[in-house]
Amino acid sequence: RLSRADRPIGTWLLLLPCWWGLLLASATTGRFGLFDAWIALGCALGAFLMRGAGCTWNDIADRKIDASVARTRSRPIPSGQVTVQGAVIWMVVQALISLAILLTFPPAAILLGFAALIPVAIYPFAKRFTWWPQVFLGLAFNWGALLAWTAHTGSLGLPTVILYVGGIVWTLFYDTIYAHQDTEDDALIGVKSTARLFGDKTKTWLRGFLVGLLALMGVAIILAAGERSILSLVIALGGPWAMGWHLAWQQRSFDAEDGPKLLRLFRSNRDAGLIPLPFFAVALLL
């Protein structure tokens, strides 16, 4: 529970940008080999472990806030089921296993893996000093797009940087929905979020994030696969187009007063993030 292993949606949201970056890089180079299969698997294992380590760190940093929020006061640390010392040990164990996986990647990707710890460390404190903590979550959760691209190509590229920014916009979309579950408690204890900032204008903001994500993903795909055949480019662009329909459904279904629906919409972003993958895979084959 400390690692949220019982709630796999966070692992998916951390993993999917990795697979986007890997397949987009493969579509650029026109190859996908055995090592790329390991990158995909390594990212999956790393996403599970680092999401667990990140959640553990978040619970350590937020233990006093979590004790004041109805939805989170039953978490292991504020409820007294796990000590802070025990949580720190568990966090380090998960991080060390992740490090062992990271060290099998090329040097540039390893450096990016270490750099990812910066937004992870900052995120739990962001809601104390900015109305946009979701930006810091996006910086951490979409880092895999940079890492997986670099693991395949050996260096960063402009397409994956743009894809990374698009992923941050996607995080703003889904985590704003998620944050609406806690707006009343957050207001009482002074915790900031985009949900509180946007208020009754959230649907308009969600529409803007949707358009921004699709535009950024489209530009990233054109830059990455523009030199391949027109057919492969069109198929790759079908990924964000199809994902956009799913996100549009979420935007239309949003109801700030319906907690269970908010959680269902948030969790449906696993399916939304999976949608571009078969389009990218087919584009790679052409």
Side-chain angles (χ1 to χ4, degrees):
R1 288 183 58 228
L2 195 61
S3 300
R4 310 289 195 276
D6 57 333
R7 299 180 183 181
I9 179 59
T11 298
W12 279 109
L13 295 175
L14 190 61
L15 171 60
L16 288 168
C18 301
W19 285 353
W20 291 355
L22 175 60
L23 285 179
L24 200 59
S26 298
T28 302
T29 61
R31 58 180 171 82
F32 189 93
L34 187 60
F35 184 67
D36 297 301
W38 165 244
I39 294 173
L41 177 59
C43 284
L45 296 171
F48 176 78
L49 290 163
M50 285 309 296
R51 188 269 181 133
C55 286
T56 305
W57 167 241
N58 189 76
D59 281 9
I60 293 169
D62 279 356
R63 58 191 183 277
K64 293 181 180 179
I65 292 176
D66 286 347
S68 304
V69 177
R71 187 178 58 82
T72 58
R73 63 171 56 107
S74 63
R75 286 178 176 173
I77 296 177
S79 65
Q81 295 171 294
V82 177
T83 65
V84 173
Q85 182 181 13
V88 169
I89 293 171
W90 179 234
M91 177 182 67
V92 171
V93 168
Q94 294 172 99
L96 288 175
I97 299 173
S98 297
L99 175 61
I101 296 170
L102 178 66
L103 291 177
T104 67
F105 288 180
I110 293 173
L111 290 175
L112 278 173
F114 279 107
L117 296 176
I118 297 172
V120 170
I122 294 173
Y123 168 66
F125 305 100
K127 55 183 167 287
R128 295 164 168 83
F129 63 80
T130 177
W131 287 100
W132 296 81
Q134 281 72 20
V135 171
F136 289 87
L137 181 66
L139 289 169
F141 259 59
N142 295 280
W143 200 271
L146 304 175
L147 193 149
W149 170 287
T150 304
H152 174 86
T153 64
S155 63
L156 272 176
L158 181 59
T160 194
V161 173
I162 295 173
L163 182 68
Y164 174 61
V165 177
I168 295 171
V169 175
W170 181 40
T171 303
L172 281 163
F173 181 95
Y174 65 66
D175 205 61
T176 295
I177 293 174
Y178 184 80
H180 266 279
Q181 297 176 94
D182 298 327
T183 49
E184 291 185 6
D185 285 332
D186 286 350
L188 287 173
I189 60 179
V191 168
K192 299 177 174 66
S193 72
T194 51
R196 288 188 61 207
L197 178 65
F198 301 157
D200 57 8
K201 296 181 180 179
T202 293
K203 270 197 170 185
T204 302
W205 279 93
L206 293 178
R207 187 181 300 112
F209 293 145
L210 165 58
V211 172
L213 166 62
L214 300 187
L216 288 163
M217 286 188 76
V219 171
I221 290 167
I222 291 170
L223 291 175
E227 296 183 3
R228 295 176 62 82
S229 69
I230 294 297
L231 180 58
S232 66
L233 177 60
V234 170
I235 289 174
L237 287 170
W241 175 82
M243 181 182 179
W245 282 104
H246 192 292
L247 298 183
W249 164 75
Q250 291 186 45
Q251 189 268 345
R252 291 193 305 271
S253 303
F254 174 81
D255 181 355
E257 304 302 320
D258 190 337
K261 178 183 280 190
L262 291 171
L263 186 58
R264 288 196 303 272
L265 290 175
F266 167 72
R267 288 176 173 170
S268 73
N269 280 278
R270 181 204 64 174
D271 299 336
L274 284 169
I275 289 172
L277 294 178
F279 288 87
F280 293 169
V282 172
L284 167 63
L285 296 173
L286 294 177

